Amino acid sequence: MHYALSEFLSKGNVLKNIEIKGAHIHNLKNIDVSIPKNSLVAVTGVSGSGKSSLAFDIVFEEGRKQYLQSIGVFSPVDEEDGFESISGIGPAIAVQQNIIRQSNSRSTVGSRSGLLSMLSVLFSTEGVISCSLSGNSEERLPPAYFSYNNANGMCMTCSGKGEHYEIYMGRLVPDEDITLLQVFDKVNATPGLKNLLKRNFKDYLETPFSRLPDEIKADALYGHFVSSNSANNSICIARLLEGLVKKYGEDPSGIYRMRQCPDCGGFRVGEEARRVFIGGRHIGELCLMPLTELEEFLTVLPDKSRFSAFGEKLRKDILLKLSALVKARLGHLSLYRTVPSLSGGELQRLFLNDHLESGMDSIIYVLDEPTAGLHESEKDQLIESIKRLRDIGNTVIVVEHDKKSIMAADHVIDVGPGAGTEGGQIVYQGDVSGLLDCEASSTGRYLSGRSSMPGRAFKRLEPTGWQGFWLTVRQASTNNLKNVDAAFPLGCLAGVAGKSGSGKSSLVSDSLLPLLKKHFYNNFKEGLSGDSSAARLEGTEDLSGYAEVSQAPIGRNMNSTPASYIGIWDKIRKIFASQPEAVKQGIGAGHFSFSSVGACPECGGTGREKIWLGGSFFIYNTCPACHGKRYNEQALSVRYNGKTINDVLEMTVTEAVSFFSDERSVVSTLKVLDRIGMGYIKLGQPTPTLSGGEAQRVKLAREIGRKRRGNILYVLDEPTTGLSPSDTAKLICLLDELIQKGNSVIVVEHDPAVLSVCDWIIELGPEGGQAGGHIIAAGSPKSLKENPESKTGRYLSINE
Amino acid sequence: MNKTQTNNRDYWPTKQWRSASPSSCGMDSAYLEKLDLAIRARHKNINGAIIVKNGYIVFEKYFNAFGPADTHNVASVTKSFISALIGIAIDKGYIQGVEQRVLDFFPEYPTKAGDFAKRTVTIRQLLTMTAPIASKTVGNKWEPLDRLRRQPDWVKYTLDMLGKGTSGQFQYSTAGAHLLSAILTRATGLCAREFANKHLFMPMGISEIPDCDMKSFSLDDVFGKNVTGWIKDPQGVTVGGMGLTITPRDMTRFGFLYLNKGLWEEQQVISEQWISASTAMTPNEYGYLWWLREKNGLLSYSALGSGGNVICCIPEKDLVVVFASKIVVKPRDSWELIDEYIIPSVVTD
């Protein structure tokens, strides 16, 4: 029936289009777009062309706004709409990359999917209280008691984390004679902090720790409240150790160790909840099961016959959700698995899952690269799910670069032709075959093969194999890794491939990077290596450093900009301070900072005024004093080559490259940004608004801009996320150049275009989760293509 | 002018409070009429209000069909009573002093060798709410009281939480106050209720609080309508942080004792040092289980309980203000009554 409906619609029997007239938000050039409803629409174009402005800032924002207003929820009013008129819009839901990437370790698969709350209610209503300890009541526990995120439910010892850091006293104070001074010296902290500590305890330094009064011991170890610092804690051993963990990921001396919580045994919830059982298990046990096992457990549950009607309905709802997650290939995860520890693909599927399983129709879904982080072989299934959404009567708009997804679309809107001011126009609208023929569209040219990916100018690998140095991770066993040894050729472009959940991130982010960190940032003391894992690194003597370029957001501070992040902002401010007008007025570099003395006194440098409407409702207006320029008049009175400091913030990277062409130190990093397809971003764009891919490229530019000597190992996590084919081509050239200069690069990647030009590929697999964690192939792309074991080789294209 | 007449009261309200007209005590009755209206209009949770000036009741009103004989569950006002009892126990030598360690009173409680933080928690830290205690983990504003209610052993539960968190940081903890009640019992052999009857209530003429029979520990039994007398935990330890029921006039007697620096008739019920130490201003504006306030140079100390229960003592004005309230969620702040009507009503000292 649904198919009949879409057939009916495709014949144009019902006039059902989203008609947008005069779209002009950001760089859009007053364009008219018609988006067919009830179809799968791909919006394509190079990064910065304006496709997100169209899909998210107009279609999604307007759909959401109109829906909220129609149900009586106030939504913020913008100063102007980004378009002249819009019709045919409906309720809209968006899944955006930069929203789902987050680092809160309290967020887990269970909390994120809502399954934890559902299970909590199930335990609250249907759980059997084993021996009641108080003996006086069989009072039911409210659902909050089953949630590790609630004060009633969390284990008080670990505050619901299931594990906590503990000072290993046996290692810190190995014998009775060791003095407090010696104890302090065992902690691997900076001399400054240590001297502070020594000064605070100067009367006790020569006393053996074991003979100190308990009060002094407690104070030296854990400190006490002080209001004078941000940690609100006096300087103490625990704080030094926490600092080490923050910096290096762990305390290399092994004194401060993450331990499973002894009270809850890693189950995160308090004793109250651990006494309530369903099918003989408490909620903590269920939450640590892989989802496949949990699904099985709840399906065959012997207790279910005694469940109330409500409980039975809830059990079935939980099972529905579970089976959807398992179908989305997340069955290897547990409900307690933390969101930050998920791979990109797992995260994407977790977030999309709810929507894909929804039965609603007439919704407009706007999805940001739904196939990002997926292996080629996994994309089909996701595309099928998206098609199903369309078939039940929804409009699905995907902002995509992926060939498979674009080819599956009913309708393509290509925005471009270039980025920034050179974009913002509709290059092509219509079906896919037309796109392939469209000469003006760079997307079309790459998809049809008329433009091809660049080869490598510099291939290090001999046909006989790599004769140079290797960096080897031995006995890696984090997450699902099966004690593997992985060898990366140095001075080469090495790719790490494999299905999502196969262990790529575990190998690179959880094994290789911590080991590198340890090697380069610690004066590694002999025999004190972390004893939690036997993993070790060989071959580091041939490296002079490393740089991690992840997709994690750059930061949440709205005052942070790409210019400040890549380190050119200080230089630009100095340039302004050296202008005659500035010298005359006697104003220094600080006056050109909008977060310092240069700020507009009205808005404090935000450029907008916040108007409180009561409750949690705010509207933002352009600051009436500075008209959004963020600076005070004094700062704006100084010009460099005719531009004010605010004009510089408004410049795109490309514009800034020519504007600052005389300032070599400024322009070199900007050029890198320009070359990797980031020429369209403004120097003053707040970094929290950058997408994960954009943030990563800004980081890469900064790392390259640092111009470090020697062989630097660059480790990149899925750098093509958010990149159009032409931008991917630019990235490949840049990586190639890094290798030419004698550096090494490791990329975790799914994109066959990038993998095909690697010198070496390590493939993990064969499947995701527990069925993965092995190295199933390693060698040149060509050898992978010929290797029947490889799941990636068949997608590679080798140009000899 | 500071003329607190602590040593030459012309009568003591042991048997009976005496009343006086506001004007005879230097107060402007017009303000008190407005106070009455304000309570009726905006503070409907208040069931009883008493103002004592110079030892005489100048204002006593009951609302919502309550009367002088009705007792009220005064919630956390209970804590200030526990403070007084700890002071008396120290005065009498049952407890060495505020620096004594909490775990001294629980020798059977097992600690690990490395539990220095737990072992060094003192009575002073519990009194000032600065003990390291894990009740407020990551952003939870309130300690989970319902969780305490469900414990088979409240004291063990609280001891388990002790030592985690920042030592010296102000963390309001009802569980911590309960520990003080348990300490009192360990030190004196009497539960806090019995100790209070004997050493605090009897000298002031406050009627003896009988043992209450805890049938269960349901919400109503611990926080709600079934609370009578002074509730106790499953081990029979008088609840230290809440759960006392008392009449507004008896609340006023307790405040009056503090105004008189511990003296009542001929007896020093609590030592003057304890009262001073309990009510001396601190950066946290919290003494020994008393809330401290300084506004426009006027110092006050108060026992405050959830829902709007108040015993507020303003020594400089020789004033005790008592509000007994129904326990409601988010009551209107009763400081506005004190600031706008009561303090301005005192025209001459």
Side-chain angles (χ1 to χ4, degrees), chain B residues 310-328:
Chain B
V310 178
I311 304 173
C312 173
C313 303
I314 308 174
E316 197 177 315
K317 308 267 181 199
D318 198 10
L319 207 56
V320 184
V321 178
V322 164
F323 296 126
S325 163
K326 178 187 174 187
I327 297 179
V328 293

Side-chain angles (χ1 to χ4, degrees), chain A residues 425-436:
Chain A
Q425 298 175 35
I426 303 295
V427 179
Y428 172 80
Q429 263 204 91
D431 62 11
V432 181
S433 59
L435 177 71
L436 299 183

Side-chain angles (χ1 to χ4, degrees), chain A residues 160-180:
Chain A
K161 291 189 184 118
E163 52 186 13
H164 66 157
Y165 276 100
E166 206 175 79
I167 296 176
Y168 181 26
M169 292 303 292
R171 185 157 268 180
L172 185 67
V173 189
D175 59 64
E176 290 202 344
D177 300 324
I178 180 169
T179 63
L180 185 61

Side-chain angles (χ1 to χ4, degrees), chain A residues 106 133-134 136 139-142 145 149-157 159 161 166 169 209 214-215 217-218 221-225 232-233 262-263 270-272, chain B residues 101 112 114 116-117 119-120 122 134-135 137-138 140 142 144-152 157 160-161 164 166-170 215-219 234 284:
Chain A
R106 286 199 164 266
L133 289 185
S134 56
N136 55 29
E139 215 182 336
R140 292 217 163 274
L141 287 177
Y145 281 79
N149 274 335
N150 187 290
N152 281 323
M154 63 175 61
C155 164
M156 284 294 190
T157 304
S159 60
K161 291 189 184 118
E166 206 175 79
M169 292 303 292
F209 187 89
D214 275 356
E215 282 78 6
K217 286 180 185 167
L221 287 169
Y222 307 108
H224 57 270
F225 175 81
N232 278 343
N233 205 334
D263 283 1
E271 198 188 349
E272 301 92 334
Chain B
R101 290 176 180 190
K112 281 181 278 174
F116 307 111
R119 275 203 297 275
T120 52
T122 61
S135 65
T137 42
V138 265
N140 295 313
W142 295 280
L145 279 188
D146 186 60
R147 196 168 182 179
L148 176 68
R149 170 180 75 81
R150 290 167 185 271
Q151 296 306 315
Y157 166 80
D160 284 347
M161 289 198 301
K164 297 158 193 162
T166 310
S167 178
Q169 183 162 31
F170 183 80
K215 288 188 192 69
S216 74
F217 288 86
S218 72
L219 276 173
N284 296 327

Side-chain angles (χ1 to χ4, degrees), chain A residues 591-785:
Chain A
H591 287 83
F592 297 98
S593 162
F594 58 77
S595 46
S596 172
V597 283
C600 161
E602 284 299 309
C603 62
T606 58
R608 19 179 234 179
E609 70 175 342
K610 191 174 183 179
I611 300 174
W612 184 52
L613 301 178
S616 54
F617 292 113
F618 296 93
I619 54 172
Y620 291 97
N621 270 336
T622 304
C623 170
C626 66
H627 305 289
K629 290 192 159 77
R630 312 180 78 161
Y631 285 94
N632 57 32
E633 283 184 18
Q634 191 181 31
L636 292 173
S637 69
V638 179
R639 285 173 186 268
Y640 166 69
N641 286 353
K643 301 274 190 194
T644 68
I645 187 81
N646 178 63
D647 294 335
V648 173
L649 280 180
E650 293 294 319
M651 272 179 202
T652 64
V653 168
T654 313
E655 287 162 357
V657 167
S658 55
F659 184 76
F660 288 106
S661 54
D662 297 338
E663 303 287 343
R664 279 189 54 199
S665 63
V666 173
V667 90
S668 61
T669 314
L670 284 174
K671 273 187 176 158
V672 179
L673 265 180
D674 195 25
R675 286 186 39 215
I676 50 176
M678 295 288 286
Y680 63 90
I681 61 163
K682 286 182 179 167
L683 294 190
Q685 183 175 353
T687 52
T689 64
L690 298 175
S691 72
E694 285 173 329
Q696 188 185 32
R697 274 169 282 154
V698 172
K699 287 183 194 171
L700 181 63
R702 177 166 90 156
E703 287 301 336
I704 293 173
R706 285 171 69 188
K707 295 210 180 69
R708 295 155 70 184
R709 289 167 193 282
N711 182 353
I712 306 293
L713 173 63
Y714 294 88
V715 182
L716 287 81
D717 184 13
E718 297 184 41
T720 61
T721 306
L723 286 190
S724 67
S726 63
D727 292 327
T728 301
K730 288 178 185 163
L731 178 76
I732 290 173
C733 293
L734 187 82
L735 296 181
D736 190 39
E737 209 181 290
L738 281 176
I739 306 282
Q740 283 186 49
K741 287 183 179 155
N743 299 298
S744 309
V745 178
I746 294 175
V747 286
V748 178
E749 204 29 280
H750 288 292
D751 188 343
V754 173
L755 289 174
S756 297
V757 298
C758 282
D759 297 305
W760 191 265
I761 296 173
I762 294 174
E763 185 177 353
L764 288 135
E767 300 295 330
Q770 278 316 308
H774 298 280
I775 292 181
I776 57 169
S780 66
K782 190 158 178 280
S783 76
L784 251 69
K785 202 161 173 68

Side-chain angles (χ1 to χ4, degrees), chain A residues 23 101 135 157 200 272 291 313 346 368 485 596 691 700 730 778:
Chain A
R101 293 252 167 203
T157 304
N200 290 352
E272 301 92 334
L291 298 184
K313 167 85 171 63
E346 288 165 343
D368 188 10
D485 291 354
S596 172
S691 72
L700 181 63
K730 288 178 185 163

Side-chain angles (χ1 to χ4, degrees), chain B residues 246-287:
Chain B
I246 189 170
T247 65
R249 286 184 181 181
D250 286 347
M251 290 165 80
T252 315
R253 284 189 171 90
F254 182 60
F256 195 57
L257 173 69
Y258 269 65
L259 269 194
N260 292 307
K261 297 188 175 154
L263 183 75
W264 195 276
E265 309 233 36
E266 300 303 314
Q267 189 186 346
Q268 192 72 38
V269 177
I270 309 174
S271 67
E272 194 176 334
Q273 300 94 293
W274 184 258
I275 307 255
S276 319
S278 303
T279 58
M281 185 48 93
T282 68
N284 296 327
E285 302 191 321
Y286 198 79

